Amino acid sequence: MAILVRAGAKALDSWRPLLETALPGRDFRFFPELGDPAAIDIALVWQPEPGLLSGLPKLELIVCLGAGVDAIIRDPSFPRHLPVVRLVDPYMTAAMSEYVVFQVLCLHRQGLVYSAQQRRSEWREHPQKNAGERPVGILGFGTLGQDAGKKLKALGFDVAGWSRSAKNVPCIPTYAGAAGLDAILARSEILVSLLPLTRDTDGLLNARTLARLPRGAAIVNVGRGGTLIEADLLAALDSGQLSAAVLDVFHTEPLPPDHPFWRHPRIVVTPHIAADTHPATAIAAVVEAIREFEAGLPLTNRIDLDRGY
Ligand code: NDP
Ligand code: OXD
């Protein structure tokens, strides 16, 4: 049987030699070269075109070449009976934490304010809190959220985390479920979202929830663009409810050139680069998922389709 690999052209150039070395003798089909679709039993995919997976009649396993599986499972024709494994790679986790720590520090140390002042040659000091006086809330306290939270905590920030199920993380207060949401919002001067996009998190950052944050709070969205109502963010910035937003993910990617976020003085835009898949390290997780599947073992990072992540 054959393994389909579907990723962007540049990523395929990296994946091809790694896969051929790690799984010698296997029959790989590098998209768009599919060959006989009925020969494919495993698909390694990132953002597959709608209909691609449902067109593989003998498919048995889907491995996502990224952490977020939303682009795979939102396809209405997606074969829902099949197991989907998401990527968990320590390199990606470390990269995400670097991004989150960097952006939280920038917000905490008023980077946007001082950059704007420099452009005006304006020498003016502002009161500065210590990290311990800065409450940071992390929505999505899973693999990535907990690592970022622990690193922010090590810098002295007053960190809390929010997840669907209750968590017990040493030295970090945690909140869970709908009942815990308002409480973490109310304490978060900087709110980081590392939520997956699911039917429950779609539009979760909206006028109502942004209004629960302390006045002048800032947000960092690195989860998925669909979790944030863009018009509500702009309104919250205009009203002063929010002071700044750092956004790495968007409803439409690439962000269209005429989108108001690009030129907003209190929005930082990065092009979905917080934590790219790094094939050289991610190969280990991909090979492990195939090994577990072929040995009939439970799949370590299998997603729960009912939860959507
Ligand atoms: P995990 O599955 O490990 O963590 C997801 C977290 O979100 C869990 O804590 C989960 O709760 C929580 N969660 C999910 N739904 C809800 C809900 N309805 N209410 C409250 N909490 C909820 O995923 P990762 O940490 O590995 O990745 C998170 C996301 O980060 C990815 O899905 C992807 O969208 C994004 N990402 C972005 C990248 C970028 O470059 N910008 C790169 C990589 C990932 P519980 O623990 O109870 O299950
Ligand atoms: C991912 C991403 O989910 O890159 O891996 O966003």
Side-chain angles (χ1 to χ4, degrees), residues 5-281:
V5 191
R6 192 267 176 252
K10 229 171 94 205
L12 270 191
D13 288 345
S14 306
W15 280 115
R16 190 187 298 263
L18 290 164
L19 286 163
E20 286 172 347
T21 305
L23 299 168
R26 300 298 289 254
D27 178 4
F28 288 106
R29 309 285 169 84
F30 293 94
F31 189 80
E33 287 152 30
L34 228 63
D36 175 10
I40 294 167
D41 65 340
I42 297 175
L44 316 179
V45 293
W46 177 242
Q47 300 187 332
E49 343 346 71
L52 176 66
L53 298 172
S54 56
L56 306 175
K58 298 281 172 53
L59 191 61
E60 291 192 75
L61 172 69
I62 298 166
V63 179
C64 179
L65 298 176
V69 297
D70 47 295
I72 297 177
I73 66 178
R74 72 171 166 233
D75 174 2
S77 74
F78 164 72
R80 291 188 66 83
H81 59 286
L82 295 181
V84 180
V85 173
R86 73 195 182 90
L87 184 68
V88 176
D89 173 23
Y91 184 100
M92 173 185 270
T93 306
M96 179 58 83
S97 292
E98 282 177 14
Y99 182 97
V100 170
V101 167
F102 168 72
Q103 300 294 0
V104 167
L105 279 171
C106 253
L107 291 165
H108 166 62
R109 296 304 307 234
Q110 309 176 74
L112 277 176
V113 173
Y114 288 114
S115 302
Q117 284 186 197
Q118 180 173 355
R119 286 194 293 276
R120 299 191 296 269
S121 310
E122 182 183 342
W123 183 280
R124 185 147 70 98
E125 275 183 45
H126 299 278
Q128 177 62 52
K129 288 185 176 187
N130 198 285
E133 299 160 315
R134 185 76 73 191
V136 177
I138 302 186
L139 305 185
F141 215 46
T143 307
L144 302 179
Q146 286 192 32
D147 191 72
K150 287 173 190 163
K151 287 172 179 165
L152 288 167
K153 182 76 192 171
L155 286 169
F157 286 100
D158 176 13
V159 178
W162 183 69
S163 49
R164 212 174 53 92
S165 56
K167 298 269 179 296
N168 192 355
V169 179
C171 305
I172 299 186
T174 52
Y175 301 81
L181 180 59
D182 281 2
I184 190 166
L185 292 174
R187 76 182 294 290
S188 301
E189 290 183 10
I190 299 176
L191 184 75
V192 177
S193 177
L194 267 162
L195 287 167
L197 182 60
T198 68
R199 62 172 178 267
D200 295 329
T201 64
D202 196 340
L204 184 126
L205 295 171
N206 54 42
R208 188 198 80 77
T209 49
L210 296 177
R212 293 281 179 280
L213 293 165
R215 190 160 178 83
I219 68 163
V220 178
N221 189 17
V222 257
R224 280 292 181 265
T227 61
L228 172 69
I229 305 290
E230 295 187 340
D232 291 0
L233 170 69
L234 290 169
L237 287 165
D238 285 351
S239 72
Q241 168 58 14
L242 288 187
S243 57
V246 175
L247 308 173
D248 184 56
V249 286
F250 304 89
H251 278 255
T252 304
E253 296 182 7
L255 189 64
D258 59 348
H259 197 286
F261 286 175
W262 282 116
R263 276 162 286 279
H264 197 291
R266 282 179 292 127
I267 295 181
V268 173
V269 169
T270 54
H272 199 143
I273 47 72
D276 279 348
T277 295
H278 183 60
T281 51

Side-chain angles (χ1 to χ4, degrees), residues 260-309:
F261 286 175
W262 282 116
R263 276 162 286 279
H264 197 291
R266 282 179 292 127
I267 295 181
V268 173
V269 169
T270 54
H272 199 143
I273 47 72
D276 279 348
T277 295
H278 183 60
T281 51
I283 183 78
V286 170
V287 169
E288 180 62 7
I290 294 173
R291 194 193 65 77
E292 286 178 343
F293 171 72
E294 292 183 337
L297 295 169
L299 300 167
T300 307
N301 292 307
R302 181 174 182 169
I303 64 135
D304 178 335
L305 270 171
D306 291 331
R307 290 185 327 195
Y309 68 98

